[in-house]
């Protein structure tokens, strides 16, 4: 009996030691139950259906077909797509951010980075011109009839012995050939021959002005029979501002002033005049004025011109000068706020007053329609003895006799640039120049015997 009890104790001790030597198990990880996973999947389906405008459908845990590859690594321990949907809001790729038709593994489209252009600009321009010429030739070749580009050749045969029509390649078109089209003449290399490559910062085209110059000289010499006096009052060099009266329904005074200085001074001084802003909103008018020497009126452009020692002509009356009725002819309007005086003070330029007589009679303004002018982008619609009765022909200027007179220069050297902000002084100097021009106009009107014969 003692031996049996001893054996039982030995067995019990061995079992105890074996139990103590076993490794301890880790506590079980709390995982979501199947019911909780179904609830999360149903909530995600409701969100998708709400964003797509469809009724929500209950998702089933069983799915058919191949499963899409997961977006995240396998180390996240996601068993199915419901777990991926649950983790998606935390990753920032929920149903509101990814289109419904895009699967998890589809790559998003991305634009390839553009490589910056290198090389000389002139080489790039030449390559673009060559490409444009090639496109023009291709379009011309396609527009040619088939019988002109393809001819049958009875002697050519296919490898199996059957006859075949051989197509001859069309010869490349030469710009100088008689087969040149309208597009080649207007926008190809042939069209660029009539344009100058030396266009200044303000759009003056010497080649284009050279073609317009005979017309301007004809108007100056034979049509208006212009008489110019006082050219010796203009300085031969340095900064100078010509202040003139503005008149005429069609403002031709700037072009005639430029022509007068070119012809009377022997081309020693080249004048650039500041044109009204509305001209540059009209079709073709602004481009034409730029190419013949006009510059858009603003302080910045005037300062740049004077900085290059150009001779600048300004018309302080602006649009109000060409809006004057015939009964108000040769009566100067208000000279604005004295912008030309401030310009002369800042740039240390000399002011030369100028009076133009005869432009008021070229298109006598009897009445102006202002309530319809906004429809065509004009400050007013003129009513003259010939317009709109004769249509566009009514805008032709009458051949009145013109007189252009330059007065004594007004020097502002005794005033410094700092007084340009003195409104009282600027107004007094502006009235002084305006009074000088008004006296010159009255003198010129008294001296002429006839509007047509001077």
């Amino acid at each position: 009996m003692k031996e049996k009890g001893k054996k039982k104790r030995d067995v019990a001790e061995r079992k105890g030691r074996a139990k103590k030597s076993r490794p301890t198990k880790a506590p079980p990880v709390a995982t979501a139950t199947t019911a909780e996973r179904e609830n999360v999947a149903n909530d995600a389906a409701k969100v998708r259906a709400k964003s797509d405008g469809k009724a929500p459908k209950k998702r089933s845990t069983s799915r058919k077909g191949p499963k899409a590859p997961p977006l995240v690594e396998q180390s996240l321990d996601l068993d199915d797509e419901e777990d991926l949907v649950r983790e998606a809001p935390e990753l920032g790729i929920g149903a509101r951010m990814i289109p419904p038709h895009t699967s998890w593994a589809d790559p998003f489209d991305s634009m390839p980075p553009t490589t910056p252009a290198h090389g000389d600009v002139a080489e790039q321009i030449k390559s673009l011109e060559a490409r444009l010429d090639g496109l023009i030739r291709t379009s011309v070749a396609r527009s040619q009839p088939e019988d002109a580009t393809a001819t049958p050749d009875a002697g050519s045969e296919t490898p199996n012995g059957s006859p075949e029509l051989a197509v001859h390649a069309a010869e490349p078109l030469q710009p100088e050939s008689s087969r040149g089209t309208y597009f080649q003449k207007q926008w190809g290399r042939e069209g660029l021959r009539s344009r100058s490559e030396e266009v200044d910062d303000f759009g003056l085209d010497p080649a284009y002005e050279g073609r317009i110059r005979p017309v301007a000289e004809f108007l100056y010499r034979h049509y208006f029979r212009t008489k110019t006096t006082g050219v010796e009052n203009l300085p031969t060099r340095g900064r100078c501002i010509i202040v003139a009266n503005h008149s005429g329904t069609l403002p031709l005074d700037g072009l005639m002033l430029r022509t007068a200085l070119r012809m009377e001074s022997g081309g020693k001084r080249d004048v650039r005049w500041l044109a009204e802003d509305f001209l540059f909103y009209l079709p073709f008018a602004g481009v034409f004025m730029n190419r013949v020497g006009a510059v858009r009126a603003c302080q910045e452009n005037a300062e740049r011109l004077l900085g290059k020692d150009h001779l600048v002509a300004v018309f302080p009356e602006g649009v109000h000068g060409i809006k004057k009725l015939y009964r108000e002819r040769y009566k100067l309007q208000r000279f604005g706020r004295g912008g030309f005086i401030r310009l002369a003070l800042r740039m240390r330029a000399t002011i030369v007053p100028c009076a133009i007589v005869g432009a008021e009679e070229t298109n006598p303004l009897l009445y102006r329609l202002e309530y319809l002018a906004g429809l065509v982008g004009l400050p007013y619609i003129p009513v003259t003895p010939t317009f709109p009765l004769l249509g566009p022909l009514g805008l032709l200027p009458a051949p009145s006799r013109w007189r252009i007179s330059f007065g004594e220069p007004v020097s502002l050297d005794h005033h410094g640039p700092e007084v340009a902000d003195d409104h009282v002084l600027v107004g007094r100097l502006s009235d002084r120049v305006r009074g000088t021009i008004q006296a010159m106009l009255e003198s010129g009107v008294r001296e002429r015997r006839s509007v047509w014969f001077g």
Side-chain angles (χ1 to χ4, degrees), residues 257-311:
L257 191 61
R258 179 179 174 85
T259 306
L261 288 182
R262 183 191 301 114
M263 300 185 66
E264 302 298 336
S265 65
K268 296 179 181 179
R269 296 305 302 266
D270 187 20
V271 65
R272 307 292 296 273
W273 77 96
L274 303 182
E276 287 80 10
D277 189 72
F278 79 92
L279 289 174
F280 298 90
Y281 291 97
L282 300 177
F284 307 107
V287 178
F288 171 79
M289 299 294 284
N290 272 139
R291 297 178 73 178
V292 297
V295 180
R296 196 167 187 168
C298 67
Q299 286 284 333
E300 292 77 8
N301 289 341
E303 291 179 1
R304 291 175 59 191
L305 288 170
L306 291 174
K308 297 180 179 180
D309 290 342
H310 279 288
L311 199 62

Side-chain angles (χ1 to χ4, degrees), residues 86-115:
R86 185 177 58 185
E87 296 292 338
E90 298 180 2
L91 298 176
I93 52 174
R96 294 183 180 272
M97 301 183 65
I98 296 180
H101 61 274
T102 305
S103 62
W104 300 105
D106 291 340
F108 294 99
D109 296 334
S110 60
M111 296 297 294
T114 58
T115 57

Side-chain angles (χ1 to χ4, degrees), residues 32 37 40-41 77-88:
R37 292 185 179 181
V40 173
D77 196 13
L78 299 178
D79 296 336
D80 49 12
E81 189 176 355
E82 284 77 6
D83 294 339
L84 183 60
V85 173
R86 185 177 58 185
E87 296 292 338

Side-chain angles (χ1 to χ4, degrees), residues 201-281:
D201 297 340
F202 302 97
L204 175 62
D205 191 344
Y208 184 81
E209 188 192 16
R211 296 195 300 272
I212 301 297
R213 185 176 301 176
V215 179
E217 293 179 356
F218 170 79
L219 293 175
Y220 178 82
R221 286 291 189 193
H222 306 287
Y223 194 80
F224 295 133
R225 295 151 293 155
T226 309
K227 181 181 179 181
T228 304
T229 58
V231 182
E232 63 277 1
N233 293 328
L234 295 172
T236 57
R237 60 181 181 178
R239 302 173 180 178
C240 179
I241 301 175
I242 300 176
V243 183
N245 61 304
H246 209 20
S247 57
T249 304
L250 291 180
L252 299 174
D253 40 15
L255 182 60
M256 291 297 101
L257 191 61
R258 179 179 174 85
T259 306
L261 288 182
R262 183 191 301 114
M263 300 185 66
E264 302 298 336
S265 65
K268 296 179 181 179
R269 296 305 302 266
D270 187 20
V271 65
R272 307 292 296 273
W273 77 96
L274 303 182
E276 287 80 10
D277 189 72
F278 79 92
L279 289 174
F280 298 90
Y281 291 97

